[in-house]
Amino acid sequence: MGNRGMEDLIPLVNQLQDAFSAIGQNATLDLPQIAVVGGQSAGKSSVLENFVGKDFLPRGSGIVTRRPLVLQLINCSTEYAEFLHCKGKKFTDFDEVRQEIEAETDRVTGQNKGISPVPINLRVYSPNVLNLTLVDLPGMTKVPVGDQPADIEHQIRDMLMQFVTKDNCLLLAVSPANSDLANSDALKIAKEVDPQGLRTIGVITKLDLMDEGTDARDILENKLLPLRRGYIGVVNRSQKDIDGRKDITAALQAERKFFLSHPSYRHLADRMGTAYLQKILNQVNAKTPHDGAFK
């Protein structure tokens, strides 16, 4: 079950976001929202697709998310998607949703990996989601590709800062377990804008890809790099699974089995996985501006 406060708040938040986005002012409105941050290839797209249960986000090498994507998930008995810029059109084929994100991105940024702070607003109605509003932000990068300017790293950072510095923005800091967490782009920016950790949730991906004999137990138990809100581990589909169009429902079942059977994580199994993360986000997303920071 979702949070009752969220059921009342989410339609109002969505309407305000749509209205301000239509006039290019989305990033300046101090609404409660969840910003998804992380380096390239950290697994952000897979986390969001697991929430929806559909493949709908562009994938590829380099910067794939080149504009903020305001993703509004709405629990509903039927399943379809709508874009703010495509008034009145309902998308039932999620391959078409991906194609529309790519086309709308190119329309504003061009086809050579440029970026833009102008958001794309997407609503997904589904019986399989909890009510959530998330903002998927470009992955942090250091090396320009294509026709990107030399200062692409600073451009992305400036865009992220428009969102993550707000007191009513919860940071979903996504980091892969098979890299050094001390150098995590997401945790670095979270520590900078939220030094007390009041509004950061760490998400650890790729736990199944760690070297044999190693694990992320100290991180998930919140001992290594402590966050006030702690960490939640998830297991996403592999690239082979994605290329083979492995069903997300089956992948979520495999994720659950992974945590229940892994000797280092089974004692944490009830606080790990996509379903638990979605539930936690639904609860904290119910905070309003009147609540102040996420306390």
Side-chain angles (χ1 to χ4, degrees):
M1 292 294 290
N3 185 294
R4 182 65 241 177
M6 173 50 48
E7 313 307 319
D8 297 333
L9 176 65
I10 202 90
L12 299 175
V13 172
N14 287 344
Q15 289 173 27
L16 286 168
Q17 284 175 323
D18 286 354
F20 275 75
S21 180
I23 59 173
Q25 295 295 316
N26 185 79
T28 64
L29 184 62
D30 195 13
L31 291 173
Q33 55 191 193
I34 300 168
V36 186
V37 298
Q40 288 183 34
S41 303
K44 293 191 299 111
S45 293
S46 292
V47 170
L48 294 175
E49 287 184 333
N50 284 353
F51 285 172
V52 175
K54 296 285 185 181
D55 294 292
F56 71 98
L57 292 171
R59 292 180 180 275
S61 60
I63 299 176
V64 178
T65 303
R66 295 187 284 122
R67 292 173 59 183
L69 176 68
V70 179
L71 177 61
Q72 300 166 353
L73 305 182
I74 301 169
N75 186 267
C76 181
S77 59
T78 56
E79 188 170 67
Y80 62 96
E82 291 180 334
F83 287 94
L84 181 62
H85 65 271
C86 296
K87 288 282 189 182
K89 183 175 181 180
K90 293 184 178 181
F91 292 77
T92 55
D93 183 338
F94 282 78
D95 284 337
E96 292 184 6
V97 171
R98 179 192 300 107
Q99 293 165 13
E100 185 58 37
I101 293 173
E102 292 173 341
E104 177 62 11
T105 297
D106 289 346
R107 185 182 68 79
V108 172
T109 65
Q111 298 182 2
N112 291 306
K113 304 296 185 182
I115 66 170
S116 169
V118 179
I120 298 173
N121 282 58
L122 171 63
R123 285 185 184 175
V124 175
Y125 298 81
S126 171
N128 303 314
V129 303
L130 290 179
N131 291 323
L132 284 176
T133 297
L134 307 108
V135 183
D136 185 24
L137 295 166
M140 287 165 270
T141 186
K142 295 178 174 59
V143 181
V145 297
D147 290 341
Q148 288 175 349
D151 66 342
I152 187 68
E153 178 183 2
H154 300 292
Q155 286 192 28
I156 292 176
R157 177 184 168 82
D158 288 346
M159 186 193 303
L160 264 59
M161 286 299 179
Q162 293 181 39
F163 291 87
V164 301
T165 54
K166 299 180 186 300
D167 284 343
N168 289 310
C169 178
L170 182 82
L171 278 70
L172 200 62
V174 181
S175 307
N178 60 347
S179 64
D180 183 3
L181 264 292
N183 295 320
S184 162
D185 292 317
L187 292 177
K188 279 183 180 178
I189 202 166
K191 183 162 183 157
E192 181 178 342
V193 301
D194 179 34
Q196 293 183 300
L198 294 174
R199 52 189 181 88
T200 300
I201 294 178
V203 177
I204 305 300
T205 62
K206 305 189 180 183
L207 290 163
D208 54 325
L209 300 181
M210 297 186 73
D211 291 339
E212 188 173 353
T214 65
D215 61 53
R217 179 170 174 167
D218 284 350
I219 299 166
L220 296 177
E221 290 180 344
N222 209 22
K223 294 177 180 177
L224 186 61
L225 296 168
L227 290 174
R228 189 79 60 91
R229 293 179 175 272
Y231 295 85
I232 297 174
V234 298
V235 176
N236 298 324
R237 292 173 300 164
S238 67
Q239 189 59 51
K240 180 179 178 181
D241 291 338
I242 293 168
D243 293 341
R245 305 300 293 266
K246 180 176 180 178
D247 179 68
I248 291 180
T249 301
L252 293 176
Q253 292 172 349
E255 176 191 53
R256 180 68 177 154
K257 182 178 179 181
F258 173 86
F259 284 113
L260 286 171
S261 60
H262 197 290
S264 295
Y265 308 135
R266 57 190 174 204
H267 68 296
L268 300 167
D270 289 342
R271 292 181 281 124
M272 296 291 128
T274 299
Y276 181 76
L277 175 59
Q278 194 172 358
K279 177 182 174 183
I280 291 298
L281 294 181
N282 173 267
Q283 291 172 354
V284 297
N285 204 182
K287 294 286 186 182
T288 70
H290 302 291
D291 292 319
F294 289 93
K295 295 178 180 177

